[in-house]
Amino acid sequence: MLDVLYSSTIPLIALALYWGRKRYINGCRVRVISADAKTSAIVRQTESEGVVTLFDVLRNHCPSLSDPQTAFMVPTPYLPTGLLQTIYATMRVRRHDATSDVVYVRELLEMADGGTVSVDWYGGAGSKGSEESIGGGPIALVMSGVGGSSQEHHVRALAKALASSGSAFRVAVVNHRGTARTPITSPRPYDSGFTEDFRTTVRHIHATYPHSKLAAIGFSMGANILTKYIGEEGAHCVLACAVAVCCPFNIKVSSAAINESNMLNNHVFQPAVMGTLMRAIKRASHLQVRPEWNLDVPQIHRATRLLELEEQLMVKIGGYRD
């Protein structure tokens, strides 16, 4: 009797698992490309080709990304939302394993206002090398989000994957001012609208390795800086290609979301971001600020929310309206 019950139960369990898995995939799938041929961004328009959209380019050169039947991502069952994925990534940020065991060689670049940006190089022998040693091979510039740096797990893993790929990229991780132990030599902080540091870094690398194709990958705020830079450079952009990951295209919406008063913002996101920024501000306290900025320094040091810091520091220094 037990044998009969057991033999009939196993197929039912297998069927239930199959049905559940199929329902999960169908219900949670996320399309890789959300736009279609009618709504996609226009790449170019010529007399011979007519209007060419980004969807057209992908369909012709990378069809696997444009087919809605196959081009989708299914989140890991225990990390189905962006919030859970963010928390998971934060918990693993300092993890070291075989996929991320990289050793960087650092290069410091001085900006026009006296600020310092660090570039951590990886690939080949592990140094930034010379034009002769690179031999015109491709270089990938990587830029992380607010408070991030070359030391985060996903950045190190990406650097190793790119260097180990068939294209053998030399990787240059661009660290924002004051991050990853970069010396703070200017009172001007970085922000999502400030592209000059990245522009200067790209020009330096392009001038040093003129025969190398440059690619760029930006994460979160780094993606925002990257896309803004590309738009500002227009036809003069020297990047061969770029990838924006989790880009906050609308800063106003993103800022409102992270400044909203709720449990996660109040106890997780705000303390983490503010802790990183306030440490950098304290490290820069010995530097003389410009009188025209009209900063209320005591008020800046009392800030407990990102919005307060944005209004008292970022807006005034960046010359933004709000």
Side-chain angles (χ1 to χ4, degrees):
M1 182 66 179
L2 290 177
D3 291 341
V4 174
L5 181 63
Y6 180 79
S7 61
S8 62
T9 301
I10 294 299
L12 290 175
I13 293 176
L15 183 62
L17 289 174
Y18 173 79
W19 178 82
R21 177 179 179 274
K22 187 174 182 180
R23 185 175 182 183
Y24 175 79
I25 291 175
N26 291 334
C28 298
R29 64 171 61 185
V30 179
R31 289 183 59 185
V32 175
I33 304 297
S34 59
D36 55 23
K38 296 180 179 180
T39 61
S40 183
I42 296 176
V43 175
R44 61 181 179 272
Q45 184 173 0
T46 64
E47 292 184 2
S48 59
E49 296 177 297
V51 175
V52 178
T53 66
L54 179 59
F55 183 86
D56 295 326
V57 175
L58 290 173
R59 181 172 55 190
N60 294 332
H61 298 282
C62 194
S64 62
L65 289 181
S66 57
D67 184 356
Q69 299 302 317
T70 59
F72 61 87
M73 183 271 288
V74 178
T76 302
Y78 54 85
L79 297 172
T81 68
L83 176 60
L84 291 176
Q85 292 163 16
T86 299
I87 294 174
Y88 179 75
T90 302
M91 294 172 61
R92 291 167 53 93
V93 67
R94 299 299 178 188
R95 178 183 176 183
H96 287 268
D97 52 29
T99 67
S100 62
D101 55 344
V102 302
V103 178
Y104 296 114
V105 172
R106 173 159 292 190
E107 179 180 16
L108 297 178
L109 302 179
E110 183 178 352
M111 302 295 106
D113 69 336
T116 301
V117 167
S118 64
V119 181
D120 285 340
W121 290 85
Y122 176 77
S127 66
K128 68 185 184 69
S130 62
E131 175 68 14
E132 291 76 17
S133 65
I134 290 182
I139 298 175
L141 289 81
V142 180
M143 188 165 36
S144 63
V146 59
S149 71
S150 59
Q151 298 306 313
E152 294 184 281
H153 179 267
H154 68 276
V155 175
R156 288 182 279 112
L158 175 63
K160 185 166 185 179
L162 288 170
S164 305
S165 68
S167 298
F169 280 93
R170 185 65 56 95
V171 181
V173 184
V174 183
N175 294 308
H176 306 295
R177 299 181 179 211
T179 62
R181 301 183 182 276
T182 302
I184 298 179
T185 56
S186 168
R188 201 221 189 280
Y190 67 91
D191 63 67
S192 59
F194 186 57
T195 57
E196 198 56 39
D197 285 355
F198 185 66
R199 178 175 291 102
T200 301
T201 304
V202 172
R203 287 175 178 170
H204 165 74
I205 294 176
H206 182 58
T208 306
Y209 310 109
H211 301 297
S212 295
K213 287 187 176 182
L214 304 183
I217 303 100
F219 293 93
S220 191
M221 190 196 72
N224 184 268
I225 294 174
L226 173 59
T227 52
K228 187 171 184 286
Y229 160 80
I230 293 172
E232 291 171 347
E233 292 294 295
H236 302 290
C237 183
V238 298
L239 298 178
C241 63
V243 179
V245 183
C246 297
C247 180
F249 288 104
N250 192 324
I251 293 297
K252 185 177 181 179
V253 173
S254 301
S255 178
I258 197 171
N259 282 296
E260 181 183 357
S261 182
N262 56 50
M263 186 179 69
L264 284 171
N265 280 343
N266 295 343
H267 300 287
V268 180
F269 297 135
Q270 285 280 342
V273 174
M274 286 297 294
T276 300
L277 295 177
M278 294 305 292
R279 284 192 294 272
I281 289 173
K282 290 180 180 179
R283 288 173 56 202
S285 60
H286 65 286
L287 299 170
Q288 186 68 37
V289 299
R290 298 179 185 176
E292 62 268 25
W293 287 343
N294 193 29
L295 299 181
D296 186 342
V297 177
Q299 183 68 27
I300 291 172
H301 285 285
R302 288 195 297 268
T304 58
R305 304 283 295 185
L306 184 58
L307 182 61
E308 298 173 30
L309 204 57
E310 289 174 343
E311 293 177 341
Q312 294 294 330
L313 184 65
M314 312 298 188
V315 170
K316 293 181 178 180
I317 292 181
Y320 305 119
R321 183 180 60 190
D322 51 35

